[in-house]
């Protein structure tokens, strides 16, 4: 029986009992790194996290296991108030999948490690750079009380990296731009303006980001919601 007193070794042993070879094959089709995966769906990992409760020291140990599900469990059971920028940097060094990146970005946003956004954006590693824009998107969506100016301050980063053609970066840059534009009317106008600028760019990737974001930001349902 697992619970709040379970250590990292016990939790990993429990995760091993949930292994699914069939799911591992399916995950690979979605671009998830499976060389150290057990094939456990995220809702099931979250169910384990609810039983295990939060424990930041244990989360660090789980992360070091290099097992996909143990690292997800680390992210789900870490304590945001105890997460340091150095913790986040160390974990980012191990990023090898968009899935892990996006879950980590949610945690980093909750921990308010905003100083890492520009740092990660400047990093040439594909998944670390993706983390920057996943964080921007997460902040735009989840920080309802954040001043819009703080969210809009990240727009130059979106423009600066709109030409990165790598799949997991360009999709995250696009995601960040769309999330800012969908936040409210005050953010919509500058986001749409940038989308239209990028849509006219001579750069193929920037054009794709601009056109794709522009389509969503001019959708009737979105405009009706924002008004």
């Amino acid at each position: 029986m697992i619970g709040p007193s379970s250590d990292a070794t016990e939790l990993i042993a429990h995760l091993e009992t949930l292994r699914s070879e069939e799911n591992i094959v399916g995950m690979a089709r979605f671009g998830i790194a499976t060389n150290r995966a057990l094939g456990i769906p995220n809702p099931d990992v979250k169910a384990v996290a609810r039983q295990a409760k939060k424990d930041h020291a244990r989360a660090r140990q789980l992360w070091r296991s290099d097992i996909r599900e143990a690292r997800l469990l680390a992210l789900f059971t870490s304590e945001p108030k105890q997460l340091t920028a150095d913790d986040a940097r160390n974990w980012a060094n191990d990023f090898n999948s968009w899935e892990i990146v996006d879950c980590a970005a949610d945690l980093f946003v909750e921990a308010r490690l905003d100083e890492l956004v520009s740092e990660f954006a400047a990093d040439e590693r594909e998944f670390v750079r993706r983390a920057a824009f996943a964080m921007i998107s997460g902040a735009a969506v989840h920080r309802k009380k954040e001043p819009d100016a703080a969210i809009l301050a990240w727009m130059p980063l979106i423009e600066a990296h709109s030409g990165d053609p790598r799949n997991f970066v360009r999709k995250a840059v696009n995601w960040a731009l769309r999330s800012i534009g969908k936040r409210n009317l005050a953010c919509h106008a500058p986001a749409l303006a940038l989308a239209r600028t990028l849509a006219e760019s001579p750069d193929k990737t920037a054009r794709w980001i601009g056109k794709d974001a522009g389509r969503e930001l001019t959708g009737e349902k979105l405009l009706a919601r924002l008004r």
Side-chain angles (χ1 to χ4, degrees):
M1 189 70 179
I2 59 169
S5 62
S6 299
D7 63 21
T9 301
E10 290 168 329
L11 289 174
I12 291 169
H14 177 69
L15 290 172
E16 293 278 3
T17 69
L18 304 176
R19 184 183 183 96
S20 167
E21 297 295 335
E22 184 180 353
N23 286 347
I24 292 173
V25 174
M27 287 173 177
R29 288 198 293 267
F30 287 96
I32 294 171
T34 58
N35 58 315
R36 291 283 286 159
L38 302 176
I40 306 170
N42 285 14
D44 293 349
V45 179
K46 288 181 178 178
V48 175
R50 285 193 293 272
Q51 291 176 279
K53 307 298 184 187
K54 303 279 189 182
D55 184 326
H56 192 64
R58 187 184 62 198
R60 288 190 179 117
Q61 295 173 328
L62 287 167
W63 185 272
R64 287 196 289 271
S65 73
D66 193 30
I67 298 168
R68 168 192 174 266
E69 287 76 6
R71 284 186 167 171
L72 287 173
L73 191 58
L75 296 171
F76 297 151
T77 60
S78 177
E79 297 174 83
K81 290 182 179 179
Q82 292 190 37
L83 186 75
T84 68
D86 281 340
D87 284 332
R89 291 185 185 101
N90 289 334
W91 291 359
N93 287 334
D94 297 323
F95 285 164
N96 65 348
S97 170
W98 63 266
E99 174 197 40
I100 292 288
V101 169
D102 295 356
C103 289
D106 285 342
L107 174 63
F108 297 169
V109 167
E110 191 175 354
R112 302 196 74 86
L113 299 176
D114 294 3
E115 70 270 24
L116 295 180
V117 172
S118 58
E119 182 180 323
F120 284 173
D123 197 300
E124 290 296 331
R125 290 172 291 179
E126 182 173 10
F127 288 116
V128 179
R129 183 168 288 172
R130 179 184 175 90
F133 296 99
M135 287 178 70
I136 292 172
S137 180
V141 172
H142 298 298
R143 290 188 187 167
K144 307 294 187 186
K145 296 180 180 179
E146 191 86 0
D148 292 332
I151 303 297
L152 292 170
W154 286 318
M155 292 274 285
L157 282 179
I158 292 174
E159 185 169 12
H161 295 287
S162 62
D164 190 325
R166 292 174 295 179
N167 189 47
F168 294 114
V169 176
R170 70 186 181 97
K171 286 186 174 181
V173 173
N174 179 25
W175 180 24
L177 180 56
R178 290 184 289 110
S179 295
I180 291 175
K182 292 189 290 184
R183 179 178 168 87
N184 54 37
L185 272 178
C187 291
H188 179 267
L192 180 57
L194 178 55
R196 286 173 169 161
T197 296
L198 295 179
E200 299 299 323
S201 171
D203 183 88
K204 179 181 177 181
T205 303
R207 269 200 317 277
W208 174 81
I209 290 171
K211 289 179 179 179
D212 188 75
R215 274 192 296 273
E216 183 161 359
L217 296 180
T218 54
E220 290 182 10
K221 287 185 179 179
L222 173 64
L223 294 175
R225 177 176 70 78
L226 293 178
R227 292 191 187 107

